[in-house]
Amino acid sequence: MDRINHNSRPPVSTPPQTNTHAGFTLIELLVVISIIALLVGILLPALGAARRTAQNSQCLSNVRQMDTAAMSFAADHRFHVQISSSDTLWVPGPLPSELRGKQAQYTDQTGGNQGRVKDWASAIVPYMGGDPNSDFENADPKVSKAFICPSDAGQEAGAEGYQIYNNITGGVGKENEPISYGVNADTTTYNNNGSADGGLWASGFTIRPFKGDVTNGNLDSIRTTSSTMMYADCGTARGVGQPLLIAGDQLFYSASAPLNTDPNDEVSGTLGAVYENTRARYRMPLAENETPEGPADRHGDKINVAFADGHAAGFGTGDFDQVYLSPHK
C-alpha cells in the first residue's frame, strides 16, 4: 500500500497584483457634498440660537451683577443707591451736606475738598471688584466687561448713541462712553432744584416720579422693590436726521412727564409708558427700533431688567407694564 503524504497540498495560484483601486464617482462626490451642506444648514441656525441664548444669559448676569453691587453700595451709604444726575454737582465743588454719607464722591487731582459726584456706573465699580479710583470704562477689564452686553452690536458702530451725558467721571469731551445699560432715573434722581416734587436731570429735564416725590436714591422710599427697576438694557441711538445727541438723550429710563401720567391708566409709572411714547421708546434696544443711525436689536423683543430687591429677569414688550419705574407705584 502506498504511503499517503498528509503534508502535500495542491499548489495555489496567486492572482497577479495590480496598483489600481476604485475611486469616488462624480455622483458619489455630489451626494457627499449635498449631505454636508444639508447638515450645515441644519446646524448653523441651532448654533446661532445657542449663541444668542448664551449672550442673553451673560447680559442677564451683567445686570444682576450691577444690581448686587448697588445693593452693597447702599449698605455702606445709609441705604441710598448712587444718584444718577445733578447739574449743580457736575461742576467740581464741595459735596452738599445732605448728600454726605449717602453718595459716592471722588476728589480732583488737585486735592483739597473739591470733588464731583460719580456717575451711577462708576460708583459701583469698587463693589464689583474694581479700583475705587477707576471709572466704569477704565476699571479692570473683567469689571468693565460687565457694563457691555455681548449682543450690543452698537458698540462696534461708533461712539454715537451710548452716552451718559451728565456726571461722567471723565468730564467734558467724554460724554460718549462704552456702556450698554441704563439706570432708572425715577428712583435715582437727586432733588436739587428746590422743588419737593421734582428733580433736575440735565438741561431742564425734570424728573417727577408718578404719584410721589423724588427719592434721592433712597431704597427705603421704594414701595414695591420686587417690581421697581434699577438697571436695564438701554441704548440711546441718534434719531434719523438728528446730527447730535442732546442732553436729554441719556442712558436712563423715566416714566415722568411728558409720558402717560393718568392715574387711571395701568401703564402710568411703568416701562409700558415709555414704550407707548415714540420719543422715549428709542432708548429700548429692541428689534423694532433698528434705524439707519445704528443697530438696536439685542434680544429680539425683550430687554433684561434688574430690580430693587436684587433679582433680574427678561421682559417682553407685552409685559412692560409689570416693570415699575416710579418708586411710589
Side-chain angles (χ1 to χ4, degrees), residues 106 109 116-147 164 167-171 174-179:
Y106 77 96
Q109 297 297 321
R116 289 187 290 192
V117 173
K118 289 185 178 181
D119 60 85
W120 63 266
S122 297
I124 60 177
V125 164
Y127 297 89
M128 298 172 70
D131 189 312
N133 297 317
S134 298
D135 61 34
F136 70 88
E137 180 189 13
N138 300 316
D140 181 282
K142 292 182 180 179
V143 176
S144 295
K145 187 177 180 180
F147 291 99
I164 295 180
N167 282 359
I168 189 68
T169 54
K174 292 193 67 180
E175 292 88 356
N176 293 295
E177 300 294 345
I179 188 169

Side-chain angles (χ1 to χ4, degrees), residues 165-233:
Y165 193 92
N166 208 30
N167 282 359
I168 189 68
T169 54
V172 177
K174 292 193 67 180
E175 292 88 356
N176 293 295
E177 300 294 345
I179 188 169
S180 303
Y181 305 102
V183 66
N184 178 7
D186 289 7
T187 62
T188 56
T189 296
Y190 168 58
N191 181 11
N192 69 335
N193 66 350
S195 171
D197 61 355
L200 189 65
W201 184 281
S203 295
F205 191 96
T206 301
I207 301 295
R208 292 187 179 90
F210 175 68
K211 282 189 174 180
D213 298 337
V214 169
T215 64
N216 299 330
N218 183 5
L219 292 180
D220 277 333
S221 299
I222 297 177
R223 181 177 180 181
T224 312
T225 57
S226 61
S227 300
T228 304
M229 172 198 290
M230 288 300 300
Y231 309 114
D233 275 306

Side-chain angles (χ1 to χ4, degrees), residues 28-287:
E28 290 173 331
L29 287 173
L30 290 175
V31 169
V32 171
I33 292 173
S34 299
I35 292 173
I36 292 174
L38 178 62
L39 291 174
V40 170
I42 294 173
L43 291 176
L44 277 182
L47 291 174
R51 180 172 178 268
R52 289 191 295 272
T53 298
Q55 290 177 332
N56 182 63
S57 296
Q58 182 59 53
C59 177
L60 191 61
S61 175
N62 286 350
V63 292
R64 186 182 292 113
Q65 184 178 352
M66 289 189 293
D67 208 31
T68 299
M71 299 302 109
S72 297
F73 176 97
D76 289 343
H77 293 81
R78 294 193 277 176
F79 219 49
H80 285 70
V81 294
Q82 181 66 9
I83 56 173
S84 55
S85 75
S86 169
D87 275 351
T88 58
L89 298 180
W90 186 83
V91 179
L95 190 68
S97 58
E98 63 269 25
L99 292 182
R100 291 173 191 166
K102 298 179 181 179
Q103 313 300 340
Q105 177 190 28
Y106 77 96
T107 305
D108 286 349
Q109 297 297 321
T110 54
N113 61 357
Q114 299 295 301
R116 289 187 290 192
V117 173
K118 289 185 178 181
D119 60 85
W120 63 266
S122 297
I124 60 177
V125 164
Y127 297 89
M128 298 172 70
D131 189 312
N133 297 317
S134 298
D135 61 34
F136 70 88
E137 180 189 13
N138 300 316
D140 181 282
K142 292 182 180 179
V143 176
S144 295
K145 187 177 180 180
F147 291 99
I148 304 294
C149 171
S151 299
D152 185 359
Q155 295 298 335
E156 301 172 0
E160 295 91 345
Y162 300 88
Q163 180 181 76
I164 295 180
Y165 193 92
N166 208 30
N167 282 359
I168 189 68
T169 54
V172 177
K174 292 193 67 180
E175 292 88 356
N176 293 295
E177 300 294 345
I179 188 169
S180 303
Y181 305 102
V183 66
N184 178 7
D186 289 7
T187 62
T188 56
T189 296
Y190 168 58
N191 181 11
N192 69 335
N193 66 350
S195 171
D197 61 355
L200 189 65
W201 184 281
S203 295
F205 191 96
T206 301
I207 301 295
R208 292 187 179 90
F210 175 68
K211 282 189 174 180
D213 298 337
V214 169
T215 64
N216 299 330
N218 183 5
L219 292 180
D220 277 333
S221 299
I222 297 177
R223 181 177 180 181
T224 312
T225 57
S226 61
S227 300
T228 304
M229 172 198 290
M230 288 300 300
Y231 309 114
D233 275 306
C234 188
T236 303
R238 290 185 302 164
V240 177
Q242 181 181 337
L244 297 171
L245 287 166
I246 58 177
D249 294 339
Q250 303 163 58
L251 288 171
F252 75 96
Y253 287 108
S254 173
S256 178
L259 305 186
N260 190 345
T261 56
D262 182 353
N264 297 317
D265 194 325
E266 291 184 358
V267 304
S268 295
T270 74
L271 196 60
V274 178
Y275 183 71
E276 287 187 353
N277 185 279
T278 304
R279 170 65 177 167
R281 186 188 306 171
Y282 77 96
R283 302 181 193 278
M284 299 179 176
L286 302 171

